[in-house]
C-alpha cells in the first residue's frame, strides 16, 4: 500500500512539477499524523522532500516562499508546479516538493556555538519581515485556538475519569487514567489559568510578527559552517515573538533541554529584545495543554496501531513527568510576579 502511494505520488510529481524521481524513501520521523513525507532523489542526483499534507492550510508554503524572497536565511522554498502553484492536489491532500537541504537534525546534534547563534539569527530575520495583506488573510493568530485546546483537555479528562465499557477493557486506557489522575489538580489549574490569562493577551497585545509557531530542535536542520535550516512551517502564525522565543526560554522539549549558555547564544544571534514573561508563560501553558491533550487523544484511539498508541502514551508520560512540559508550564505560570515588568534580556 505504501509503495503504491509512493508510485502514484512520484508520477504526479513528474506530471505536475516536471521532476523525474528515481527513488522515494518514506520518512517516519515527525509528529504530524495527517502527513506523509518522502526523501526523493531525482535522476540528476537532486534530493527533495516530497510531502502529502492532509491537515491545516497551504499557508506554510506561502510563508516560506515569501521569506525566501525576502532573503531570510535558513529557509527552503518550495518548488512551483507547472501551473505556478506551490502544491498540487492528490486525493484531497496537498502535494508539495521542497529541496532536501540537510540530513542532520539538530536533535541529533552536535550543535556548535555557531549553530545556536544562527538559530537566533533565523528567528530574528523571520520576525523582522513585513506582514503583508496576504499573510494577514492566511495566517491565524498565535494562541487563538486556546478555547478548543481547553475544551479538548477537559473532554479527555472527563473520558478518563468516567471511561466507557470499551475503554475499561483496554490496559493502555487504564494506565493513562492513572497518569491523568495523578496530575488532575495541576492540569485543572493550568487550564483555568490559560483561560484567565487569555484576557491579559487581549488587553496587552504584543507586536504581531510572522512566527514559525513550532521552531523546536526537531524542526531545525544543521548545515556546514554553522548554517541552520528551519523547516516544517505548517503551524505558522501571526503572534508576538514570545510565541517562538518560548522554545528557547520556556524549555518546551524536556528531553532536549537548552542550557543557559545555549540560550545566550541564541539570544545573541536574535539581538537585544525585551521578552514579556506573562506572554511567554501563557504561550508555554497553551502549548502544554495542546500537547498533552492531543497525544493522549492519539493514545486513546482504540482503532490506531498498537505501536502508534504506545508511542503517544510514552510522550504523555514524559509531558507530565517532573521535567516535562506540563510541569514546566505550571511552574512558569505560578512564577509570574505581578510586580515584575517585562524585561528578560540576553
Amino acid at each position: 500500500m505504501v509503495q503504491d502511494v509512493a508510485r502514484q505520488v512520484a508520477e504526479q510529481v513528474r506530471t505536475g512539477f516536471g521532476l523525474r524521481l528515481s527513488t522515494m524513501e518514506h520518512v517516519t520521523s515527525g509528529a504530524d499524523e495527517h502527513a506523509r513525507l518522502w526523501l526523493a532523489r531525482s535522476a540528476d542526483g537532486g534530493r527533495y522532500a516530497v510531502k502529502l499534507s492532509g491537515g491545516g492550510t497551504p499557508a506554510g508554503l506561502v510563508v516560506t516562499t515569501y521569506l525566501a524572497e525576502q532573503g531570510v536565511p535558513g529557509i527552503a522554498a518550495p518548488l512551483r508546479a507547472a501551473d505556478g502553484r506551490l502544491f498540487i492536489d492528490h486525493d484531497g491532500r496537498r502535494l508539495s516538493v521542497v529541496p532536501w537541504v540537510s540530513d542532520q537534525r539538530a536533535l541529533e546534534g552536535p550543535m556548535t556555538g555557531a549553530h545556536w547563534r544562527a538559530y537566533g539569527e533565523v528567528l530574528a530575520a523571520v520576525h523582522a519581515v513585513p506582514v503583508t495583506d496576504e499573510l494577514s488573510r492566511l495566517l491565524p493568530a498565535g494562541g487563538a485556538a486556546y478555547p478548543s485546546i481547553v475544551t479538548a483537555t477537559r473532554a479527555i479528562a472527563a473520558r478518563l475519569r468516567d471511561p466507557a465499557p470499551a475503554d475499561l477493557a483496554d490496559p493502555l486506557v487504564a494506565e493513562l487514567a492513572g497518569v491523568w489522575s495523578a496530575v488532575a489538580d495541576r492540569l485543572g489549574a493550568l487550564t483555568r489559568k490559560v483561560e484567565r490569562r487569555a484576557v491579559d493577551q487581549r488587553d496587552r497585545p504584543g507586536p504581531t510578527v510572522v512566527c514559525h509557531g513550532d521552531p523546536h530542535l526537531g524542526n531545525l536542520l544543521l548545515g556546514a559552517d554553522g548554517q541552520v535550516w528551519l523547516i516544517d512551517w505548517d503551524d505558522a502564525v501571526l503572534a508576538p515573538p514570545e510565541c517562538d522565543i518560548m522554545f528557547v526560554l520556556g524549555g518546551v522539549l524536556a528531553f532536549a533541554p537548552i542550557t543557559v549558555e545555549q540560550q545566550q547564544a541564541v539570544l545573541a544571534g536574535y539581538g537585544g529584545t525585551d521578552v514579556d514573561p506573562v506572554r511567554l508563560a501563557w504561550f508555554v501553558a497553551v502549548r502544554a495543554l495542546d500537547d498533552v491533550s492531543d497525544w493522549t487523544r492519539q493514545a486513546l484511539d482504540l482503532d490506531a496501531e498498537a505501536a502508534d498508541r504506545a508511542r503517544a502514551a510514552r510522550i504523555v508520560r514524559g509531558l507530565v513527568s517532573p521535567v516535562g512540559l506540563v510541569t514546566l508550564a505550571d511552574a512558569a505560570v505560578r512564577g509570574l510576579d505581578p510586580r515584575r515588568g517585562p524585561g528578560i534580556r540576553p
Side-chain angles (χ1 to χ4, degrees), residues 10-340:
E11 176 60 20
Q12 276 202 281
V13 169
R14 184 187 68 80
T15 58
F17 291 90
L19 184 64
R20 291 183 178 272
L21 301 177
S22 56
T23 62
M24 293 270 287
E25 178 184 344
H26 188 219
V27 178
T28 57
S29 61
D32 187 350
E33 61 181 323
H34 303 294
R36 279 188 178 177
L37 177 67
W38 290 268
L39 166 55
R41 292 175 173 82
S42 63
D44 62 1
R47 300 197 303 167
Y48 301 90
V50 176
K51 187 174 184 179
L52 272 181
S53 301
T57 72
L61 298 172
V62 175
V63 169
T64 49
T65 299
Y66 172 64
L67 293 176
E69 290 172 348
Q70 292 292 306
V72 174
I75 304 298
L79 275 61
R80 289 192 180 272
D83 61 5
R85 292 188 300 162
L86 300 175
F87 66 93
I88 58 178
D89 298 317
H90 176 87
D91 292 337
R93 293 190 284 181
R94 296 183 303 279
L95 174 58
S96 60
V97 181
V98 178
W100 188 279
V101 291
S102 174
D103 294 320
Q104 191 173 5
R105 300 173 69 212
L107 275 180
E108 298 161 358
M111 283 185 72
T112 65
H115 285 128
W116 287 108
R117 186 181 181 93
Y119 181 18
E121 291 171 348
V122 169
L123 290 178
V126 170
H127 295 167
V129 298
V131 178
T132 65
D133 290 342
E134 182 181 24
L135 293 183
S136 295
R137 290 192 303 269
L138 283 176
L139 297 183
Y146 85 88
S148 62
I149 293 169
V150 165
T151 298
T153 304
R154 288 180 170 146
I156 293 290
R159 176 179 174 182
L160 290 174
R161 280 196 310 267
D162 186 20
D167 288 341
L168 289 171
D170 187 272
L172 191 55
V173 175
E175 179 191 347
L176 288 171
V179 169
W180 273 63
S181 177
V183 295
D185 290 344
R186 192 191 311 165
L187 285 172
L190 194 60
T191 301
R192 292 189 295 273
K193 288 172 183 175
V194 162
E195 289 182 305
R196 286 200 299 268
R197 292 203 174 274
V199 178
D200 294 336
Q201 309 311 306
R202 182 195 64 203
D203 294 343
R204 298 171 54 251
T208 299
V209 301
V210 175
C211 286
H212 180 281
D214 200 25
H216 57 70
L217 299 186
N219 286 329
L220 196 70
L221 302 179
L222 307 182
D225 301 322
Q227 185 179 20
V228 299
W229 301 87
L230 190 54
I231 62 170
D232 198 350
W233 286 77
D234 291 346
D235 294 320
V237 292
L238 295 179
E242 287 85 355
C243 183
D244 279 346
I245 296 297
M246 72 170 176
F247 289 86
V248 177
L249 299 181
V252 170
L253 296 183
F255 60 88
I258 299 178
T259 68
V260 172
E261 292 77 11
Q262 291 163 348
Q263 289 177 356
Q264 290 174 344
V266 176
L267 293 176
Y270 189 88
T273 182
D274 287 332
V275 175
D276 186 311
V278 176
R279 278 198 293 269
L280 186 72
W282 188 78
F283 278 114
V284 172
V286 171
R287 174 64 183 232
L289 293 180
D290 193 16
D291 277 4
V292 76
S293 62
D294 190 59
W295 284 112
T296 303
R297 175 191 62 78
Q298 294 182 49
L300 295 178
D301 184 356
L302 303 182
D303 295 325
E305 295 290 336
D308 293 336
R309 295 185 62 208
R311 174 175 177 259
R314 286 196 301 273
I315 293 173
V316 172
R317 290 192 290 270
L319 287 167
V320 301
S321 73
V323 295
L325 181 55
V326 170
T327 304
L328 296 172
D330 183 58
V333 174
R334 287 177 183 271
L336 291 175
D337 183 349
R339 295 168 298 179
R340 177 186 178 189

